[in-house]
């Protein structure tokens, strides 16, 4: 009997001890991961899990922000989601996610929060709260939401004191980006650095500086810890003014000629690697975030997503050398209802439905196409009784058919390389590159010369009368390349593709 009593006592003692202590499986301990960063509009996962692992299917899991416990981002309880008290801004955008590829999900204690279509307002601290009848635990994770801005717009304008005002601007950033200027590979302090914030919280940056001599200037804009966008322009020597005597037409003419000859602007770093795919064109328009799956893989923008260096620094071809390769190109008349075409002259007509904005509705391809060699042609922008044409595009395209669509924004990324002029910016020309570049202009040319060196990847534009270079691009072409023209909108003067007479050569 004594042995039986002893055994009963031990069993009773152990049973009492186990009843006084909470079961190990009911102890709640929460762990979270490192701070999370996500690009606006994308999906991310904020990691949180139980340690040691155990199923969370029978627990309450609540994600909330700051002191909004009763207005949670997500609430899971009694095996189901509850939506009555959920923060309205997260409806349809949250669910459970996996902290890593090896996760077993809710059954293994992974209670991570998957956040869809992140917005700027989503940035901040998130608390992961897990509870049961026996206890609870919580921990917080910080979320950063960022947005990359539009391609840089780099412009240069000559001032009356023969200095060059170089401006750099970009919009649509979050948080506030940093901007850096470099002149001849040396960091320089700008004259002004200005930030502004729009109603959606996105930040724009604008800066400018004065350059007094020939130099290569670059501007870069980016977020901390991420690759910056960069644009670079190489400037020639400022024009030298010639003293004039009042009433001396000869002096005036000499001054104008010297100004034209002196102005040289070269884009020395715009290098694009491009592979032609003729079935689709990118539809990125004015920095809109659209699905990039519609764009050919090799037509993606290069320079705005990373700092790029030229593969080789080469001087552009001189005008006299370029003109040795004169070819006669003509217009590929495809029956564009918005153009009036006669011989090699073209102008807009019939009031295109895209308003004052110049689009591909009034664009036209030239012929023949080129897949090798050196080629030069000229376009006249001068008409008696009208003067110099103010609105136009002149360049080349790799597209066999120019789509007559008002929503297509033609750039180098989708196979259009051209120089353009607008009456809204009388002091500059615009290159269709990304980043965007504006070239300074003091006197609009009457005739534009286009030089295509297919084999050496060069596309240059000249003022044919002053025989001076306007700008030059480094482009690695693939497939056929065609002359490309657009006479603009509301400009009474036509553009004429000049034919080379044999006696001139």
């Amino acid at each position: 009997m004594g042995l039986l009593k002893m055994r009963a006592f031990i069993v009773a003692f152990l049973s009492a001890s186990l009843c006084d202590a909470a079961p190990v499986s009911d102890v709640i301990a929460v762990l979270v991961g490192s701070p999370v960063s996500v690009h606006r509009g994308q999906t991310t996962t904020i990691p949180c899990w139980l340690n040691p692992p155990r199923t969370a299917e029978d627990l309450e899991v609540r994600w909330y922000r700051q002191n909004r416990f009763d207005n949670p981002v997500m609430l899971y309880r009694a095996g189901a989601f509850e939506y009555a008290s959920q923060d309205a801004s997260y409806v349809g955008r949250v669910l459970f996610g996996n902290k890593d590829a090896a996760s077993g999900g809710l059954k293994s204690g992974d209670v991570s929060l998957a956040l869809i279509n992140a917005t700027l307002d989503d940035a901040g601290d998130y608390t992961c709260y897990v509870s049961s009848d026996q206890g609870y635990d919580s921990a917080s994770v910080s979320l950063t939401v960022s947005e990359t801005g539009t391609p840089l717009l780099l412009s240069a304008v000559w001032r009356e004191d023969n200095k060059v005002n170089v401006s750099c601007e970009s919009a649509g950033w979050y948080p506030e980006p940093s901007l850096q200027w470099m002149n001849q590979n040396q960091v320089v302090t700008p004259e002004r650095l200005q930030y502004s914030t729009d109603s959606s919280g996105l930040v724009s940056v604008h800066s400018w500086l004065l350059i007094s001599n020939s130099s290569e200037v670059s501007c870069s804009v980016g977020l901390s810890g991420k690759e910056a966008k960069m644009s670079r322009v190489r400037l020639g020597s400022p024009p030298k003014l010639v003293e004039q005597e009042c009433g001396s037409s000869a002096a005036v003419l000499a001054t104008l000629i010297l100004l034209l000859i002196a102005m040289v602007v070269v884009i020395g770093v715009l290098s694009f690697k491009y592979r032609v795919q003729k079935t689709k064109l990118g539809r990125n328009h004015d920095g809109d975030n659209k699905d990039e799956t519609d764009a050919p893989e090799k037509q993606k923008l290069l320079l705005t997503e990373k700092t790029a260096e030229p593969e080789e620094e080469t001087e552009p071809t001189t005008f006299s050398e370029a003109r040795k390769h004169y070819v006669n190109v003509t217009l590929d008349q495809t029956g564009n209802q918005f153009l009036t075409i006669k011989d090699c002259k073209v102008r807009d007509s019939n009031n295109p439905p895209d308003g004052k904005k110049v689009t591909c509705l009034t664009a036209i391809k030239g012929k023949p196409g080129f897949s090798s060699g050196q080629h030069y042609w000229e376009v006249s922008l001068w008409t008696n009784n009208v003067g110099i044409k103010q609105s136009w595009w002149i360049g080349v395209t790799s597209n066999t058919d120019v789509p007559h669509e008002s929503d297509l924004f033609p750039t180098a990324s989708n196979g259009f390389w051209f120089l353009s002029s607008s009456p809204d910016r009388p002091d500059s020309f615009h290159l269709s590159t990304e980043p965007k570049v504006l070239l300074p202009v003091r006197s609009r040319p009457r005739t534009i010369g286009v030089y295509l060196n297919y084999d050496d990847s060069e596309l240059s534009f000249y003022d044919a009368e002053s025989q001076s270079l306007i700008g030059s691009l480094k482009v690695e072409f693939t497939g056929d390349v065609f002359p490309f023209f657009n006479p603009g909108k509301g400009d009474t003067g036509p553009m004429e593709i000049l034919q080379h007479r044999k006696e001139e050569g």
Side-chain angles (χ1 to χ4, degrees):
M1 294 294 296
L3 180 60
L4 291 175
K5 290 182 178 180
M6 178 65 69
R7 181 178 297 174
F9 174 79
I10 294 174
V11 170
F13 176 80
L14 291 175
S15 298
S17 299
L18 290 174
C19 289
D20 291 339
V24 173
S25 60
D26 287 334
V27 174
I28 303 294
V30 168
L31 296 179
V32 294
S34 302
V36 177
S37 179
V38 62
H39 193 80
R40 188 177 70 136
Q42 294 184 347
T43 296
T44 190
T45 298
I46 306 176
C48 178
W49 64 95
L50 302 181
N51 186 39
R54 54 155 292 179
T55 181
E57 293 177 314
D58 58 342
L59 303 179
E60 174 185 327
V61 180
R62 181 186 300 256
W63 282 92
Y64 65 94
R65 299 186 60 183
Q66 298 176 344
N67 298 321
R68 299 171 65 86
F69 184 89
D70 295 326
N71 193 203
V73 171
M74 185 178 76
L75 176 59
Y76 173 89
R77 186 162 49 191
F81 290 100
E82 296 185 8
Y83 303 105
S85 61
Q86 185 183 21
D87 187 324
S89 65
Y90 291 94
V91 172
R93 294 199 301 127
V94 291
L95 65 160
F96 282 123
N98 294 331
K99 64 183 178 66
D100 54 42
S103 171
L106 204 61
K107 291 183 178 181
S108 66
D110 187 350
V111 294
S112 300
L113 177 72
L115 176 62
I116 302 169
N117 190 22
T119 69
L120 299 184
D121 291 336
D122 292 337
D125 292 336
Y126 288 73
T127 298
C128 174
Y129 172 91
V130 182
S131 68
S132 69
D133 293 339
Q134 283 73 36
Y136 69 89
D137 194 18
S138 65
S140 296
V141 186
S142 177
L143 174 68
T144 300
V145 181
S146 63
E147 177 65 291
T148 301
T150 59
L152 308 188
L153 173 58
L154 187 63
S155 60
V157 178
W158 295 118
R159 300 200 333 169
E160 293 181 357
D161 57 2
N162 280 337
K163 290 185 177 180
V164 186
N165 186 338
V166 187
S167 174
C168 180
E169 56 186 296
S170 180
W173 293 85
Y174 190 87
E176 185 178 286
S178 59
L179 182 147
Q180 183 182 74
W181 285 101
M182 295 191 72
N183 184 11
Q184 305 289 47
N185 296 322
Q186 298 294 323
V187 177
V188 293
T189 302
E191 303 291 333
R192 173 176 293 181
L193 178 59
Q194 181 177 350
Y195 292 94
S196 60
T197 305
D198 63 19
S199 58
S200 65
L202 295 176
V203 180
S204 298
V205 59
H206 182 208
S207 181
W208 59 272
L209 65 122
L210 293 177
I211 303 297
S212 59
N213 55 5
S214 177
S215 59
E216 185 175 271
V217 181
S218 69
C219 173
S220 62
V221 179
L223 300 174
S224 176
K226 298 185 178 181
E227 220 162 16
K229 295 185 177 184
M230 187 194 72
S231 186
R232 180 179 298 176
V233 62
R234 186 187 300 164
L235 301 172
S237 299
K240 296 181 180 180
L241 297 176
V242 177
E243 293 184 1
Q244 303 179 29
E245 295 180 4
C246 290
S248 173
S249 60
V252 173
L253 180 60
T255 299
L256 292 176
I257 292 175
L258 287 175
L259 288 175
L260 290 171
I261 294 176
M263 185 182 68
V264 178
V265 178
V266 179
I267 308 303
V269 76
L270 298 176
S271 177
F272 294 91
K273 293 186 176 179
Y274 173 76
R275 181 174 297 173
V276 177
Q277 293 188 21
K278 297 182 169 117
T279 57
K280 295 180 181 179
L281 287 174
R283 288 295 196 274
N284 263 349
H285 180 60
D286 289 340
D288 291 345
N289 290 327
K290 296 188 179 181
D291 189 355
E292 291 187 349
T293 58
D294 287 340
E297 180 181 358
K298 294 302 182 180
Q299 294 179 354
K300 296 292 170 46
L301 178 64
L302 297 182
L303 285 181
T304 60
E305 299 302 330
K306 61 183 179 180
T307 301
E309 293 296 335
E311 295 179 0
E312 182 180 0
E313 290 288 347
T314 58
E315 291 297 324
T317 304
T318 62
F319 174 81
S320 59
E321 177 61 30
R323 206 171 190 275
K324 292 178 181 178
H325 304 280
Y326 207 117
V327 293
N328 287 331
V329 303
T330 58
L331 295 169
D332 187 5
Q333 301 186 29
T334 57
N336 188 329
Q337 61 177 317
F338 303 117
L339 295 177
T340 298
I341 303 172
K342 183 178 181 181
D343 298 327
C344 286
K345 294 183 179 180
V346 59
R347 58 155 297 170
D348 70 301
S349 63
N350 298 331
N351 298 318
D354 47 358
K356 295 182 180 180
K357 184 178 180 180
V358 181
T359 71
C360 276
L361 287 183
T362 52
I364 185 170
K365 181 171 68 72
K367 59 182 181 181
F370 308 106
S371 59
S372 63
Q374 303 177 61
H375 315 279
Y376 174 90
W377 59 94
E378 291 181 348
V379 183
S380 174
L381 305 170
W382 168 264
T383 307
N384 289 332
N385 302 322
V386 175
I388 297 178
K389 187 173 180 61
Q390 303 292 309
S391 178
W392 46 263
W393 301 353
I394 297 174
V396 299
T397 180
S398 61
N399 292 277
T400 305
D401 297 312
V402 176
H404 295 147
E405 302 174 12
S406 60
D407 63 342
L408 172 67
F409 188 63
T411 67
S413 64
N414 52 35
F416 295 89
W417 299 272
F418 59 89
L419 185 72
S420 66
S421 171
S422 170
D424 297 333
R425 300 196 74 117
D427 58 352
S428 62
F429 289 150
H430 179 204
L431 285 169
S432 65
T433 55
E434 299 178 25
K436 299 177 182 179
V437 175
L438 296 181
L439 304 180
V441 174
R442 275 201 167 176
S443 178
R444 289 178 178 264
R446 294 187 177 193
T447 303
I448 294 289
V450 182
Y451 173 65
L452 169 66
N453 188 333
Y454 191 105
D455 300 327
D456 287 347
S457 306
E458 179 186 349
L459 178 65
S460 294
F461 302 94
Y462 304 88
D463 181 334
E465 290 191 340
S466 68
Q467 302 185 14
S468 61
L469 180 71
I470 297 173
S472 183
L473 296 176
K474 194 75 172 175
V475 184
E476 188 173 315
F477 298 106
T478 303
D480 290 338
V481 176
F482 303 89
F484 178 66
F485 310 95
N486 193 324
K489 297 279 180 66
D491 197 325
T492 56
M495 61 165 50
E496 179 181 3
I497 293 82
L498 300 179
Q499 301 302 295
H500 181 57
R501 296 191 298 271
K502 291 183 178 181
E503 59 269 25
E504 292 180 0

